[in-house]
Amino acid sequence: HGPWAYVFSLSPKDLLFKGGETLLLKPEVLSYWKNFGSSQDRERSSFLETISPNFNRLIVFDPRIPHGVTRVSGVSDPREARLVIHGWFTEPKTYLDGYLPEEAAESALNQAFDLIQELCAQAEPFAGTLSLQVKVTTAGTVSSVVPATNTLKTLNGEEPRVFLKSLLKIYSKLKFPKSRGATQMTIPLIFQ
């Protein structure tokens, strides 16, 4: 398994079957008593996110979330039944779009990893995946760093905000070589 799971539906546009929905447990259920309200609804829809298998629908989610699929019934012809491709994105890699050579970017990014290791040693235990979008100017300075995805959670289910703020600061101060044009990077970071 990898840091992201996916379900890509190729089911027919006119669904002739029943079921086949992807089920994801809602995050608030994972800390149910912390968020409990006696007047809240306690029906299935309050606990589960139900996503229908519509044609050409791509669902990407954190596979640590309890998930499943509802029973499929109604047709026996596989051409009219639920058809999906599912799996996990494994070993994501840094993606560069622009003028900065890969070797030059790698050298600067390696400097960040040493600082991240020190930061992790001081942080409350957490795990998850964080993807950053980093924009680098022609001068080699970072113009912006924003999380593209974030599934980081501490043991009590909270986001490690102090760690995240410090991590963004590390990336914002990186220095890259000058280049002929700007570069945008998507950097996946997996914490276990």
Side-chain angles (χ1 to χ4, degrees):
H1 297 166
W4 294 105
Y6 65 88
V7 178
F8 181 53
S9 180
L10 299 171
S11 300
K13 289 186 181 187
D14 297 322
L15 301 181
L16 302 176
F17 58 88
K18 293 186 188 306
E21 294 93 355
T22 300
L23 302 173
L24 300 173
L25 191 64
K26 291 184 177 182
E28 55 271 18
V29 176
L30 297 173
S31 55
Y32 183 73
W33 295 112
K34 179 180 174 185
N35 300 313
F36 183 77
S38 60
S39 63
Q40 292 177 329
D41 178 23
R42 290 184 198 81
E43 300 300 322
R44 176 180 164 162
S45 62
S46 65
F47 300 112
L48 294 172
E49 184 75 31
T50 304
I51 306 164
S52 64
N54 295 350
F55 177 74
N56 204 29
R57 174 173 278 167
L58 175 64
I59 305 164
V60 180
F61 59 94
D62 181 345
R64 296 177 300 169
I65 295 172
H67 58 280
V69 63
T70 59
R71 181 183 172 145
V72 178
S73 63
V75 296
S76 55
D77 185 343
R79 294 171 296 176
E80 296 173 343
R82 178 182 188 263
L83 175 62
V84 299
I85 299 171
H86 66 91
W88 297 267
F89 294 107
T90 58
E91 300 182 33
K93 296 180 181 162
T94 298
Y95 173 75
L96 296 175
D97 182 21
Y99 291 89
L100 194 60
E102 191 173 320
E103 302 79 31
E106 185 177 316
S107 176
L109 292 174
N110 284 340
Q111 295 171 21
F113 289 129
D114 294 335
L115 297 171
I116 292 170
Q117 287 179 340
E118 291 174 24
L119 192 58
C120 286
Q122 301 166 8
E124 178 181 0
F126 66 92
T129 302
L130 175 69
S131 297
L132 299 176
Q133 287 186 332
V134 178
K135 292 183 181 177
V136 180
T137 67
T138 57
T141 59
V142 174
S143 61
S144 74
V145 180
V146 294
T149 62
N150 179 3
T151 66
L152 301 182
K153 297 288 181 198
T154 63
L155 296 177
N156 66 2
E158 302 293 326
E159 183 177 285
R161 295 179 198 276
V162 173
F163 171 82
L164 183 57
K165 185 176 180 181
S166 299
L167 183 77
L168 294 175
K169 193 173 187 179
I170 288 171
Y171 277 92
S172 68
K173 292 183 177 184
L174 289 179
K175 301 289 183 213
F176 294 87
K178 293 180 181 179
S179 60
R180 294 182 309 140
T183 299
Q184 181 168 311
M185 300 176 206
T186 301
I187 304 167
L189 301 168
I190 301 170
F191 298 93
Q192 298 179 11

